């Protein structure tokens, strides 16, 4: 079953392309595609736990994100410099509820995704 991605916030503000791709891949359950949205030395910071590099990010995603059939419904977004914070309603077989994801982007890749709330 394919879950529909939410590539922009409800006001229509476009998200940076790497963030759009990451949300699309996460909502599609694609751990490999999600990890490939990151720079080779990119990092996921999940409430202080850091997963660095695509291999670690893929493993984290399979265990705790895409592997839990995560769904991310974007409810808002704001960009300050290279960082876009996406507010989303999280669903799936893991954490459910509102959360914020701060994505730092460099070029066409994410260098950091920090789960902030």
């Amino acid at each position: 079953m394919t879950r529909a991605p939410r590539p922009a916030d409800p006001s229509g503000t476009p998200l940076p392309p790497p963030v759009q791709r990451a949300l699309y891949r996460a909502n599609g359950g694609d751990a490999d595609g999600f990890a490939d949205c990151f720079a080779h030395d990119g990092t996921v910071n999940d409430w202080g736990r850091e997963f660095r590099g695509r291999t670690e990010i893929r493993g984290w995603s399979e265990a705790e994100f895409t592997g839990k059939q995560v769904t991310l419904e974007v409810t808002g977004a704001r960009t300050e410099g290279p960082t876009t914070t996406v507010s989303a309603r999280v669903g799936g077989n893991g954490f459910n509820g509102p959360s914020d994801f701060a994505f730092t982007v460099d070029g066409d890749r994410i260098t950091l995704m920090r789960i902030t709330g």
Side-chain angles (χ1 to χ4, degrees):
M1 178 173 114
T2 302
R3 294 174 301 279
R6 305 290 178 137
D9 80 279
S11 71
T13 302
L15 300 174
V19 175
Q20 288 180 3
R21 284 192 304 274
L23 295 174
Y24 178 83
R25 298 298 186 190
N27 280 338
D30 182 358
D32 290 330
F34 177 77
D36 288 342
C37 294
F38 287 80
H40 287 288
D41 61 348
T43 302
V44 167
N45 182 313
D46 182 3
W47 292 93
R49 297 180 307 139
E50 290 197 348
F51 304 88
R52 191 172 310 276
R54 291 181 182 163
T55 300
E56 285 189 17
I57 291 169
R58 183 177 297 109
W60 167 82
S61 181
E62 288 172 343
E64 300 185 40
F65 205 55
T66 58
K68 296 288 185 183
Q69 294 77 45
V70 71
T71 58
L72 302 168
E73 181 183 347
V74 176
T75 58
R78 67 183 181 283
T79 298
E80 295 178 22
T83 301
T84 298
T85 301
V86 175
S87 298
R89 274 191 286 276
V90 180
N93 296 321
F95 171 82
N96 283 262
S99 194
D100 290 334
F101 302 84
F103 294 92
T104 302
V105 174
D106 184 12
D108 66 346
R109 297 282 188 238
I110 296 166
T111 57
L112 174 63
M113 180 183 91
R114 188 168 36 93
I115 302 174
T116 62

